[in-house]
Amino acid sequence: MSYIDGFVIACPKANKDKFIEHAKMGDSVFMELGALRVVECWGDDIHEGHTTDFRMAVKAEEDEEVLFSWIEWPDKATREAAMATMTKWMNDPSKADPRMDPEKNPMPFDGKRLIFGGFTPVLDLKQ
């Protein structure tokens, strides 16, 4: 069964086009490392919660929108191999793919407020 990496980000609304370009460049690396699918979603109907919500989770400001994204991998082993490659790049930036270089492809959002995690699907309904 597939493996999913999920992400929630706050991004300035004014940076929507920059985010799309950043994602196109960076997400192509995930595809080359074995991802089956990468989906980037721009918030459209984010409700305010009483205890918690997406905006609170990433401390989104009034001028920011919440983004929800995921990467679908064929299995956890493929994801782990991809993450090992990316860790090597972080440890030796001279060998990194230039699309992942923050100077060549800067994040148009505050990466400190990005939340992410890996998930094992337990139910997958399809049409």
Side-chain angles (χ1 to χ4, degrees):
M1 185 175 262
S2 61
Y3 192 80
I4 307 296
D5 277 320
F7 308 84
V8 181
I9 308 164
C11 183
K13 294 174 184 176
N15 287 354
K16 183 175 183 179
D17 291 336
K18 289 179 184 177
F19 173 79
I20 293 169
E21 288 307 310
H22 169 80
K24 283 180 185 176
M25 188 180 297
D27 291 351
S28 63
V29 174
F30 295 119
M31 296 300 293
E32 290 171 18
L33 291 174
L36 299 174
R37 183 177 180 205
V38 180
V39 179
E40 303 284 0
C41 304
W42 190 268
D44 180 68
D45 187 22
I46 309 297
H47 298 275
E48 187 175 315
H50 296 287
T51 304
T52 190
D53 62 34
F54 278 109
R55 295 190 69 76
M56 283 188 247
V58 292
K59 297 183 180 179
E61 302 288 333
E62 189 65 31
D63 66 336
E64 294 178 319
E65 193 52 79
V66 176
L67 287 62
F68 176 66
S69 308
W70 69 90
I71 302 172
E72 180 180 359
W73 301 97
D75 50 47
K76 189 172 183 181
T78 303
R79 184 263 201 166
E80 294 300 319
M83 292 305 128
T85 298
M86 302 211 33
T87 298
K88 285 181 195 172
W89 292 346
M90 288 183 348
N91 293 332
D92 187 356
S94 68
K95 294 182 180 173
D97 187 303
R99 293 170 291 180
M100 301 307 278
D101 182 338
E103 290 192 21
K104 293 182 174 95
N105 188 16
M107 290 189 295
F109 52 85
D110 180 0
K112 294 179 191 132
R113 291 185 287 138
L114 171 131
I115 59 174
F116 63 94
F119 301 85
T120 300
V122 294
L123 179 65
D124 187 356
L125 302 176
K126 294 181 181 176
Q127 204 60 301

